[in-house]
Structure formats: structure tokens, C-alpha cells
Amino acid sequence: MSSTPDHPRVVVVGAGIVGCCLADELTARGWTDVTVLEQGPLPAPGGSTSHAPGLVFQTSPSRTLTAFARYTVEKFGSLDVDGVSCFQQVGGLELATTPERLAELHRRAGYAASWGVRGEVVDAARCKELWPLIDRSVVLGGFHTPDDGLARALLAARAQTARATARGARFLERHTVTGIERQDGRVTAVVTDRGTFPADHVVSAAGFWGPMIGRMAGVDVPLQPLAHQYARTGPLPALSGASAEASKPILRFQDRDLYFREHTDRIGIGSYAHRPLPVDPFAVLPYDEARARNMDMPSSYPFTAEDWAPVRDHCGRLMPALRDAEIETGFNGVFSFTPDGMPVLGESRQLRGFWLAEAVWVTHSAGVARAVAEWMVDGRPSLDLHECDLTRFEEAQRSPSYVLERGAQQFVEVYDVIHPLQPMERPRPLRVSPFYARQQQLGAYFLEGGGWERPHWYEANAPLVDALGPLPARDAWSARHWSPIAAAEARATREGVALYDMTPLRRLEVTGPGSLAFLDRMTSNNLCRKPGAVTYTLLLDESGGIRSDLTVARLGPDRFQIGANSPADLDRLLRHAPAGVRVRDITSGTCCVGVWGPLARDLVQPLSPDDFSHEAFGYFRAKETYIGHVPVTALRLSYVGELGWELYTTADLGLRLWDTLWEAGRELGVVAAGRSAFNSLRLEKGYRAWGIDMTDEHDPFEAGVGFAVRMDKEGFAGQAALRERPEPTRRLTPLLLDDPAAVVLGKEPVHVGGRPAGYVTSASYGYTLGRCVAYAWLPAGLATGMGVHVEYFGEKVPATVADEPLFDPKMTRMRR
């Protein structure tokens, strides 16, 4: 078949579970000219799919991963091969043997309720009923998910291969990819040892071989393969007479980094309790060579008994039947980790038509394949994928040593209890602002994001806490990575003036003839304003979903500075920029101080030759001026709801800018303030955080940012879809917790009328309001003052629907 826009030629590299799922999803959508190339034999070509134990636990802190897993359960449950189902829904059971883990299971039950997965925390007696072999005396409770179970990955691959083949796809085994051909920045063909295959789209679904395929295409794939131990016991007397492959729930003993599943009268045991065993993706053996070296397959490395030794006692403690059990077979199976544990998905901008569907586990395989197929065929996935986008890693996070170190740490932490604010320990510090030395002197407590060290509060402000009076006590979980100093810094911002390090805020520069027309077409608000104007606007996709929110400062007729969110924003603008328009990321070469509070003008005005009065320098205006000896771009913006400016300068002058402001601010009582206070203040004002409060699954009107959309503007991305949008059925809704001592952190389910109806996005204690503020996606039409409940570790915390903004609704504090 010749290539046409409706029938493009697609080559998928890899016939593991992801490649087979993708061929099925693409052909079901009418893209039937699909060729799947596999270097090994079918149907078990030797990658991770061939050895995967098949456990599918749907619940994850990530809503996206949970959605992937739910679809995998749904799809595999509908498939069979010769009457054998591709999914065995035996359920799942996660055990707690410590109070900390039991609390974590309550939190996981909250995730399940938020994301629509059936599950409940059960007592030790119920755990014993579900798994009679466990020693009830060591178990405190469990989390039971009846819809989880075992994916028969090879059967699922066969079933989808058959369906895709019937629609026109072809699967070719024993074809080793040796090159990727390209022309004018687009992929054109895949070269193998058995011929060349023309292609309009190429998808790398090669698993731990992904970095090798990426190198052929000139595309970086930040993926680290690691080996993971799996063993089977011999026949167990306690399971004698068993005839079904499995009858009990798949089992996790996360306190000891172990999981279990039945194999009829044997038990399979997987262990993360050993040292990381990294594998060089460029040294993985081809199938035949692995077999020649007595390896079962390329993904199956020899079992290292010394790494298994500590596991035996833990298994016997949980299940006495395993104390004397012999290991009949074992291997170290290779699979993929990324620096943040998420898949790597999407189309490369450097080589158009080259797609990644990498670092995907069987659990998420069908969901990932559906999303990528939607993306390819329809131009966008129906699910928010920003956590998985291939552009999400910064350049500083793509070095092989970084990917190795963080990938290994992800392995170590697979079953750890991870706080939502918990940073990686290494390699740090990696990216620091020019103010870092001063922040250390002030006792900054740093967390990390995007490789940046970000102060969350400063110990130098501890003396200010005494003046606050008593603060509500926090539970152990919400007290992690928090300090009452944040309350003092928030108060200092509301009453005086504070300096905030905003350097990690992404900054883009757009220049050249046609820049205004380009940006006006790409965004939702009116940018046709005179130089000196700053505009809050949105990047929308063609369906009207919010891809990002931006602040655009017009500094000259053809020069703009943009405050953006992620590398994906740069990628999107670069994809669409016309000839003559230059888009570049200037973040690393610049820095920013937010100067906010009612005394902000008293601080900056004496330092500048320009007029910083409200009349001369109004809200949402920009001015290039000086602060002392330092040239700055000053933007009158405030994300904390107070008077102030963002002051930008080059990185080499950053320390001088900080010192100038600090010295001049001493007599005003200036403080340095961190992200903890910042988050509290921005939620009191109702300011959204893209990627947390809103994504491309949401349109501007339901997200509460419709004011940034000018529907009378001509021809911007997403406009047509917004004109046809139905009345919203959900809204991003502000809540105030009723109890002044109650705190939630985000992702908790919200119950309306006794049933889960939505989930919390952002939450923080509002120190000005004396209540915790939570924003949540809830059904539209909930009346102000209506009572709801937020589920926090199994407890239903009363909350009330509120009007926004909760603080300074007339905006008088910022516009003075």
C-alpha cells in the first residue's frame, strides 16, 4: 500500500507487549500499514515481556499510571487465546507489618478512591482469609483490590498480534534493526539486516534496547535497564492438589521489598531487596548469542544467589510454609527504569515521525499503547501525559551518569514509602541559582525539582515563629518537609517584604520579525499590546485543553520574554515557529528574585532611577531598568497576592542583585522566604499550578482561567473547539477545611453526599486564613457553603465549598 495521510506507513521496533498492543490500537483506528520488527523469535522474542511475572496492581500515586493500568486490566480481560483468558482477575493484596506501612495503605486506598479503582483496607484476619499461608501474627492489615490480577503477557501479545494481522499489520521476526534513515528532519525508513522498510512513522517500543534504537535515530532515550530477581519454589505441601494457575490475590510484602504469586503448587517470589544491578543497554546480547551462552533469553541473566540470601528469612517470617522451601528456578530479569520512574513517550522534534514508547511495564502496556495510538492518529491523547512526555527531562538530567544513578535509586525505592515532597538524595546539588551561597548562610532547607535546589524555608527566620502564637499541631506525615517557619515567612510577606528565589521558573525568549503574530496565534489571550505590557495567557491544544499557562512580556516590537512551565513548552513553540522567529531557553543564563509584600515599593524605589509608583509602573507591566548597579527586567507580577515585582538579570550579576536588595532591605525587616510559604500564599489567592491543578484534560473555563481566553481574537489554537464546548460538568473548586488543625496534601478523594466525587489537586495551610486550603476537581454546580469530606488516611475530614479568591477578592493589595 502506498503512503497517504490516512494510511501512513508505520514501523514499530519491538514485538514485546507494548509493540503488539500498539499495532492492535493503531490498526483498530484505521492505520493498517503497520510493520512490527523483532530481532528475536516470535511469540517470545526475549525482552522483558518474555519473563514478566505479570502482576498488575492498578493503584499508583500517579493518576496517569493508574489510568494506564485500568485500561490494561479492561483490555486484557476481554482477550483470550484458545479459550484461555489473557488476564486472571484474582485481585491484589498489599500487606502492612509496620504502623508506617499501614498508614501508607490507607493513603493508597485514598489514591484508589480518587482514581476510580475498587479497594479497601482490611484487617489481619481478612488478610489471612485471602492468603491462608501468611502468619497472621506479623500482619497488621492489608489493602485489598479485587480487580487487580495476573496479566498473561505472552498470550496478550499473541491475541493482539492476531487481531492486528487480520487488519493488515505484519509481524516480522529475526529482523535486527541496524539504522534509521531520515531526510529533511523526518524519518523515512528503518534499516535491518534483512532489508529496508520505508516509514512515515517509526515507534521505538524496544524496551531496554530503546537507547540503542534511539542512538541510531539521534534521539536521546533516558532509560536505564536493571536486573531484578525472581525465583520459583519447588512444589509446596501446603499447595498440593492445586490445579489452577493461581487462586489467591497477587501479594506484596513491601516492608521487605518482596512480592508473591502462585504458579499452581509453587510460589513465585520477586525481590527488590538486593543491590541495584545495572545493565548496559548497548551491551545486551542478541537473542541467539544469549542462547549460545546458556542464557534463557537476553533479558534473563544468571541468578545471583548471594543477592537472594537475605530474602529467605523474610519469606519464612511472612509464610512459614516457605521456611524450608527450596528454590527450584531463579533468574535476574532485566527491565527499564527512568530517572523519575515514569515511561518515556512521544514524538521527537529533532526527528519528526520518530516516536518513543519506552520504559513501559506490562502493568501499563495497553494503556500506554492506546495513548500513543491516539497521539499518532488523532494528534493528541485523551489522557494527560505530561508526566511521561519525552521532553520532560532537563539537559542536566540526561547525562548517562545521571540516568544510571537516578534509575538505580528508583529501583531501590520501588516499594518505599515516598512522601510527595521527598527529593532524590543524589546527585545533589546539581543546579543552583546565583543566590545559593547566601541561601546556605541563611540556613535554607532545600528540596529539589527539575535538578534545581529550591529553598522551602530558612532557619534564619526561626525567631519570627514565636511572634505567631500557637500553630495547629501537625501529624507526622504532613509535618515531613515542613516547618512552622513557613508560617512566619508567609506573615512577613503579608506584612512587610520578602525575597523569593524564582530562578527555577522557566524563561524563554522569542525574537524576530513575525514574533507577535506567531505568539498571538499560539496562545489564547490578546498579545497585541504595546511594548511594556505583560499578559497572562494559555497554550491550548486543538481540543481546547490547557497545555500550559504563560506570562508573556513584550519588551520590544519583536522581542518577548515568556514565563513558562516545562521543556514541553519550548518544544511546542519550536515545532511551530515560522522562519525568522527565534525561540530559545534563557533560564540557565538568567536568574530572578521575587520582591513581594506591602513594603516592596519602599525597597526597590530608592534603588532604581525609574519611577516604580503605581501610576508609572502599573500591574502587569514590564520595564527594563536598574537596581543599584544591576540591569534588570522588572515585571510587576505577584503570585503571592501582594504588591511586588519579579526582577530578572543575567546569572553573573545575580549575586550582586541579591546583595543589593538584602542590604537595602535590612531597615525594612526584609526576609528571605521559601516555596512552602509561596505555595500557601498562592493558594489563598487561587492561583493555579499547571500540571497539578490543570492539564490538557481540562479546558480554561472549567479550570477557572477563562479570563485568559479572548474568544473574539482571530484564529488561535483550540478556539474552534472551545466554541463548541458543552457546559462544564466539573470545575476546579476551592475548599476550606472546617477544622483549623486539619491539613491535607493533595490527591486525596473528596466525598460529596457520602460518595467519592473528585480529588484534591493542590493543598496547603492558609496561614492568613487560619484554615487549610484545598483545590479539587468536583462536579459543577456545588453551591458555596456546601459541606463535603476530604478523605485523609482513611478519615473523612469535613470541608466547605468556598468562593474565590479566598484572600483579597478585590485585588487591592497588589494594585496599590
Side-chain angles (χ1 to χ4, degrees):
M1 180 185 295
S2 61
S3 173
T4 69
D6 294 328
H7 297 281
R9 298 164 300 185
V10 180
V11 174
V12 178
V13 180
I17 189 61
V18 178
C20 294
C21 287
L22 181 58
D24 183 48
E25 295 287 340
L26 286 171
T27 55
R29 288 166 172 76
W31 281 22
T32 56
D33 190 353
V34 176
T35 300
V36 182
L37 301 175
E38 175 53 58
Q39 67 172 347
L42 296 175
S48 300
T49 302
S50 302
H51 72 246
L55 281 71
V56 178
F57 285 91
Q58 298 173 82
T59 305
S60 165
S62 165
R63 179 172 173 269
T64 299
L65 288 186
T66 301
F68 287 160
R70 287 181 62 189
Y71 183 68
T72 299
V73 168
E74 175 188 329
K75 186 175 188 180
F76 288 6
S78 70
L79 299 173
D80 70 87
V81 175
D82 299 329
V84 178
S85 175
C86 295
F87 187 77
Q88 191 172 5
Q89 202 160 55
V90 293
L93 180 63
E94 303 178 43
L95 299 177
T97 59
T98 66
E100 293 77 15
R101 180 66 62 178
L102 185 60
E104 167 72 359
L105 295 187
H106 279 287
R107 194 164 67 99
R108 290 182 62 77
Y111 293 147
S114 291
W115 315 145
V117 175
R118 289 200 303 156
E120 63 173 338
V121 176
V122 297
D123 62 17
R126 178 60 176 151
C127 292
K128 178 72 173 179
E129 289 177 12
L130 292 165
W131 252 91
L133 299 188
I134 67 172
D135 181 349
R136 175 179 168 177
S137 68
V138 304
V139 175
L140 300 181
F143 175 45
H144 181 223
T145 45
D147 299 327
D148 290 342
L150 292 166
R152 297 185 172 104
L154 287 177
L155 280 186
R158 285 176 56 192
Q160 292 173 99
T161 295
R163 298 204 315 186
T165 300
R167 301 185 191 111
R170 57 179 174 167
F171 291 74
L172 302 178
E173 63 179 2
R174 303 290 189 175
H175 281 65
T176 300
V177 175
T178 59
I180 306 291
E181 292 186 349
R182 69 198 85 176
Q183 184 176 348
D184 299 326
R186 283 204 64 91
V187 70
T188 59
V190 177
V191 182
T192 76
D193 59 349
R194 299 177 66 178
T196 297
F197 296 84
D200 303 299
H201 297 273
V202 174
V203 185
S204 178
F208 51 75
W209 283 287
M212 182 183 299
I213 302 301
R215 177 175 289 181
M216 296 177 192
V219 175
D220 178 46
V221 181
L223 175 161
Q224 176 60 52
L226 288 111
H228 155 63
Q229 290 202 304
Y230 190 78
R232 291 193 196 192
T233 68
L236 295 177
L239 296 179
S240 63
S243 57
E245 177 188 357
S247 61
K248 304 175 186 61
I250 52 177
L251 186 68
R252 276 174 163 169
F253 182 21
Q254 291 149 301
D255 288 326
R256 293 300 181 208
D257 296 312
L258 298 170
Y259 63 81
F260 306 84
R261 59 154 293 183
E262 296 168 283
H263 293 281
T264 312
D265 62 348
R266 295 160 167 81
I267 290 182
I269 308 167
S271 171
Y272 294 98
H274 56 82
R275 62 194 167 96
L277 299 168
V279 174
D280 182 353
F282 299 98
V284 177
L285 298 176
Y287 185 92
D288 290 329
E289 189 174 341
R291 297 285 288 179
R293 297 192 186 186
N294 296 319
M295 293 171 62
D296 185 45
M297 60 187 74
S299 62
S300 180
Y301 278 54
F303 191 69
T304 50
E306 65 274 17
D307 291 307
W308 188 260
V311 170
R312 179 182 292 275
D313 289 342
H314 299 318
C315 292
R317 177 171 170 262
L318 180 68
M319 287 190 242
L322 295 179
R323 285 174 183 164
D324 299 319
E326 295 297 325
I327 297 301
E328 187 173 75
T329 61
F331 65 95
N332 291 357
V334 182
F335 63 138
S336 302
F337 286 82
T338 59
D340 60 3
M342 299 293 287
V344 181
L345 312 177
E347 183 190 20
S348 168
R349 176 175 50 81
Q350 290 79 10
L351 183 59
R352 301 298 295 274
F354 183 82
W355 295 77
L356 296 180
E358 297 291 7
V360 182
W361 295 6
V362 170
T363 299
H364 310 116
S365 54
V368 164
R370 178 176 65 171
V372 173
E374 290 172 339
W375 207 343
M376 295 174 71
V377 176
D378 304 327
R380 70 179 299 272
S382 58
L383 185 68
D384 165 48
L385 298 185
H386 82 273
E387 292 178 306
C388 310
D389 195 296
L390 62 85
T391 67
R392 69 187 183 272
F393 295 114
E394 305 286 347
E395 192 65 30
Q397 297 174 302
R398 291 180 172 271
S399 71
S401 59
Y402 184 95
V403 174
L404 170 59
E405 189 163 12
R406 292 262 170 137
Q409 189 64 23
Q410 287 294 332
F411 178 93
V412 170
E413 294 180 351
V414 161
Y415 282 167
D416 286 2
V417 177
I418 303 295
H419 192 275
L421 292 176
Q422 181 175 322
M424 281 290 205
E425 295 178 1
R426 299 180 306 273
R428 292 180 62 194
L430 184 62
R431 307 177 78 187
V432 299
S433 81
F435 324 131
Y436 183 66
R438 298 294 183 263
Q439 293 165 345
Q440 288 180 303
Q441 292 168 2
L442 293 170
Y445 182 86
F446 291 101
L447 298 179
E448 182 262 357
W452 287 101
E453 294 297 316
R454 301 175 184 234
H456 273 242
W457 66 83
Y458 295 86
E459 288 296 330
N461 296 322
L464 302 177
V465 174
D466 293 340
L468 295 176
L471 290 171
R474 289 206 172 202
D475 65 278
W477 186 250
S478 65
R480 291 191 193 180
H481 306 294
W482 173 85
S483 168
I485 295 172
E489 292 174 1
R491 180 174 178 178
T493 307
R494 290 277 188 243
E495 297 180 356
V497 60
L499 305 184
Y500 288 80
D501 180 3
M502 303 302 291
T503 300
L505 177 72
R506 183 171 306 280
R507 291 172 290 287
L508 310 178
E509 182 183 72
V510 179
T511 56
S515 296
L516 174 60
F518 164 60
L519 290 173
D520 205 46
R521 184 177 72 253
M522 292 294 295
T523 65
S524 63
N525 212 338
N526 176 28
L527 301 186
C528 295
R529 303 171 63 194
K530 294 179 180 179
V534 181
T535 306
Y536 177 79
T537 187
L538 307 172
L539 274 177
L540 304 178
D541 62 23
E542 293 305 320
S543 71
I546 305 169
R547 293 185 64 106
S548 189
D549 62 341
L550 312 174
T551 53
V552 180
R554 191 177 187 187
L555 303 180
D558 296 312
R559 183 164 67 94
F560 296 83
Q561 179 175 303
I562 298 175
N565 287 295
S566 75
D569 298 342
L570 173 65
D571 185 80
R572 182 165 177 80
L573 293 177
L574 286 171
R575 285 176 186 266
H576 293 87
V581 172
R582 184 186 186 197
V583 182
R584 67 188 186 104
D585 191 326
I586 60 172
T587 309
S588 296
T590 56
C591 59
C592 178
V593 182
V595 183
W596 291 314
L599 300 182
R601 184 176 288 116
D602 299 85
L603 174 53
V604 297
Q605 182 61 87
L607 300 173
S608 178
D610 285 288
D611 188 351
F612 273 65
S613 69
H614 181 66
E615 294 74 19
F617 199 157
Y619 192 57
F620 266 79
R621 299 291 299 173
K623 186 175 293 188
E624 293 181 293
T625 182
Y626 289 86
I627 296 294
H629 298 293
V630 180
V632 300
T633 299
L635 274 56
R636 189 169 169 195
L637 303 176
S638 173
Y639 287 97
V640 299
E642 295 293 338
L643 172 69
W645 288 264
E646 294 176 358
L647 303 176
Y648 297 88
T649 191
T650 53
D652 60 321
L653 291 168
L655 191 58
R656 183 61 178 264
L657 174 62
W658 180 278
D659 288 346
T660 299
L661 292 166
W662 188 258
E663 289 302 318
R666 285 182 180 276
E667 63 183 32
L668 299 173
V670 68
V671 303
R675 298 288 297 185
S676 186
F678 175 90
N679 200 46
S680 170
L681 297 169
R682 71 104 180 161
L683 281 171
E684 289 185 329
K685 282 298 294 181
Y687 291 146
R688 278 64 167 148
W690 184 86
I692 300 174
D693 299 314
M694 57 188 185
T695 70
D696 59 8
E697 290 187 28
H698 310 111
D699 75 44
F701 301 99
E702 61 189 7
V705 289
F707 62 87
V709 178
R710 287 289 298 269
M711 292 300 294
D712 57 346
K713 188 176 79 165
E714 183 179 351
F716 63 88
Q719 184 180 47
L722 291 180
R723 283 178 173 150
E724 298 178 2
R725 71 181 181 93
E727 191 66 24
T729 59
R730 61 183 177 179
R731 292 192 184 277
L732 188 59
T733 305
L735 306 175
L736 281 175
L737 272 57
D738 294 351
D739 182 352
V743 174
V744 298
L745 300 181
K747 300 186 178 181
E748 297 88 357
V750 180
H751 297 256
V752 178
R755 300 176 62 117
Y759 59 91
V760 174
T761 58
S762 293
S764 181
Y765 200 84
Y767 301 108
T768 316
L769 302 173
R771 293 286 191 280
C772 183
V773 180
Y775 272 76
W777 281 103
L778 292 171
L782 299 184
T784 299
M786 180 178 179
V788 299
H789 289 85
V790 181
E791 184 179 335
Y792 183 70
F793 287 93
E795 298 294 325
K796 304 295 194 303
V797 180
T800 301
V801 175
D803 274 332
E804 61 175 340
L806 302 168
F807 176 78
D808 188 28
K810 296 184 178 179
M811 308 284 282
T812 56
R813 297 176 70 90
M814 290 188 293
R815 301 177 184 272
R816 57 185 177 184

